[in-house]
Amino acid sequence: MNEQELMSEALKEAQAAYDRAECPVGALLVHDGKIVARAGNRELELHDPTAHAEILVLRQAGKLLGTHTFPAATLYTTLWPCPMCENALLRARVSRFVAGARGFRFIYENTFDSSKLLRVGPVMEDECRGLFIRWLQETGREFTLEPGP
């Protein structure tokens, strides 16, 4: 599968999260060319502020692969990871992530960490960001669009 096809799969997880009234973020972990884990946000359902899609994917992959690090894997996420998730990716030694869309704090997200984690994206930004914006609007949350780089 190519990056756009993989991001489409992550977007399905984001749509499922949206359908559950969760913040619509979806993620996949790809290892050896195969999707080994997939998830959407489940903070409300699990009553867990750490139940972000990226964290859930790392947990699933760890159980399946029997390890807590994934240096040969790529994580696909529909929205640029928050600082908690990006640090979890660093802790899990994920060497690369592909983001569908930039978050709304792009400058902070793009510069807070000086690690060597390879960041790729945006991929399918209109679709990924559009779903997130729709959720923000429908839930009455305020947001500001920041200009890109």
Side-chain angles (χ1 to χ4, degrees), residues 33-139:
K34 297 178 186 170
I35 299 171
V36 295
R38 58 174 63 226
N41 278 8
R42 293 187 176 275
E43 289 180 89
L44 299 175
E45 175 187 341
L46 299 175
H47 309 288
D48 179 355
T50 69
H52 290 195
E54 300 90 340
I55 303 290
L56 296 174
V57 160
L58 292 174
R59 290 174 183 163
Q60 286 177 25
K63 288 178 183 174
L64 179 70
L65 300 175
T67 185
H68 67 288
T69 60
F70 313 98
T74 298
L75 185 124
Y76 289 80
T77 181
T78 57
L79 199 62
W80 200 275
C82 72
M84 175 185 70
C85 291
E86 187 161 338
N87 279 296
L89 296 176
L90 292 168
R91 180 83 177 151
R93 297 190 184 122
V94 173
S95 59
R96 180 176 184 265
F97 76 76
V98 178
R102 291 169 290 152
F104 293 96
R105 296 183 184 140
F106 178 74
I107 294 171
Y108 175 71
E109 293 168 347
N110 197 38
T111 59
F112 84 93
D113 177 47
S114 61
S115 73
K116 298 192 183 332
L117 179 63
L118 177 63
R119 297 162 178 89
V120 178
V123 175
M124 294 178 59
E125 183 166 33
D126 291 342
E127 296 90 336
C128 296
R129 188 177 255 219
L131 180 62
F132 185 66
I133 289 171
R134 189 167 78 211
W135 175 78
L136 288 171
Q137 291 169 334
E138 289 176 1
T139 57

